[in-house]
């Protein structure tokens, strides 16, 4: 059996770690997680896709998980987009792309601006060019709060996560959480991503003044150019993507399919994994079903 852990080449050869699952000749599906997450966020999704004949390729975005950090601090949306384009171009056929939050923004930029025609379809998970200021502030604030000082223990990190996600049952540190933390020589535990990533977001938001509404900027323009099959999935209780933002996106991309996942926040995959899996599978089967390896 081939090693499911692989290293792919992103933009300018940037080392991108990935986890693959499913038949090697199956229709490729790239999965790009949200900011601060890793490829493990898709664990149940990749297994589901593999069972249905897809070749799931879950990525650690640059600066996250086991992927290389950017020494030059290249963590703008276009940098992540460049990695997606490079990886898609290295495959034997155009992949479907599923992007959550940061991964979705990178997908919009990749297909709508950097290299149109790179992907066979695009699924956006609770992200649109237009975002709610309060939701953006909450996400960025959570990520920035402990980026530099870390945690005294995994249990402290678990407590902070529980406070950020109060709708989920509170739990102590699990074995899965260990994949999101690194223990350094000082004995403290740090997130499994480069703190320069969140520094860059905060700096760019400060430069823009109001960094919450990208809808009138380059991301909105890129979205309006999307010609491939598109699927927008919103968490029904999302504080980042409002119904108005959905309407704005659907005006930009009239051909897009749309799913609303009840009882899910911005963290759609973790909140309602089964309903999310059903939604993406339905779209992928309708869009690519005839191309799946038996």
């Amino acid at each position: 059996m081939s090693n499911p852990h692989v290293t792919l080449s992103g933009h300018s050869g940037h080392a991108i770690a990935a986890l693959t699952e499913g038949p090697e000749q199956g229709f490729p599906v790239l999965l790009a997680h949200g900011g601060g997450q890793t490829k493990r966020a898709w664990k149940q999704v990749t297994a589901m896709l593999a069972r249905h004949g897809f070749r799931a390729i879950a990525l650690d975005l640059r600066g996250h998980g086991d992927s290389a950090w950017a020494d030059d601090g290249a963590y703008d949306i276009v940098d992540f987009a460049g990695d997606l384009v490079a990886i898609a171009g290295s495959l034997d056929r155009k992949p479907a792309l599923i992007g959550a939050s940061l991964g979705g923004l990178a997908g919009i930029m990749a297909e709508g601006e950097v290299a149109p025609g790179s992907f066979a379809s695009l699924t956006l998970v609770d992200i649109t060019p237009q975002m709610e200021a309060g939701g953006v502030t909450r996400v960025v604030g959570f990520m920035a709060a402990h980026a530099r000082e870390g945690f005294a223990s995994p249990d402290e990190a678990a407590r902070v996560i529980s406070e950020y996600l109060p709708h989920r049952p509170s739990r102590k540190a699990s074995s899965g959480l260990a994949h999101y933390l690194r223990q350094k020589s000082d004995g403290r535990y740090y997130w499994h991503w480069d703190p320069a990533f969140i520094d860059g977001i905060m700096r760019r938001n400060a430069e823009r003044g109001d960094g919450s509404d990208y809808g009138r900027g380059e991301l909105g323009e890129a979205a309006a150019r999307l010609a491939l099959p598109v699927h927008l999935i919103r968490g029904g209780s999302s504080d980042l993507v409002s119904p108005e933002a959905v309407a704005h996106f659907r005006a930009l991309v009239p051909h897009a399919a749309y799913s609303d996942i009840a009882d899910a926040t911005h963290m759609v995959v973790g909140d309602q994994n089964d309903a999310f899996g059903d939604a993406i599978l339905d779209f992928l089967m309708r869009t690519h079903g005839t191309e799946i390896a038996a």
Side-chain angles (χ1 to χ4, degrees), residues 168-187:
R168 293 188 188 176
S170 181
R171 64 180 69 180
K172 289 187 176 294
S174 64
S175 58
L177 180 59
H179 293 274
Y180 291 93
L181 297 171
R182 285 177 172 149
Q183 187 177 24
K184 294 187 177 180
S185 58
D186 61 2

Side-chain angles (χ1 to χ4, degrees), residues 78 87 93 146 185 209:
V78 71
I87 291 168
R93 51 180 161 165
H146 297 274
S185 58

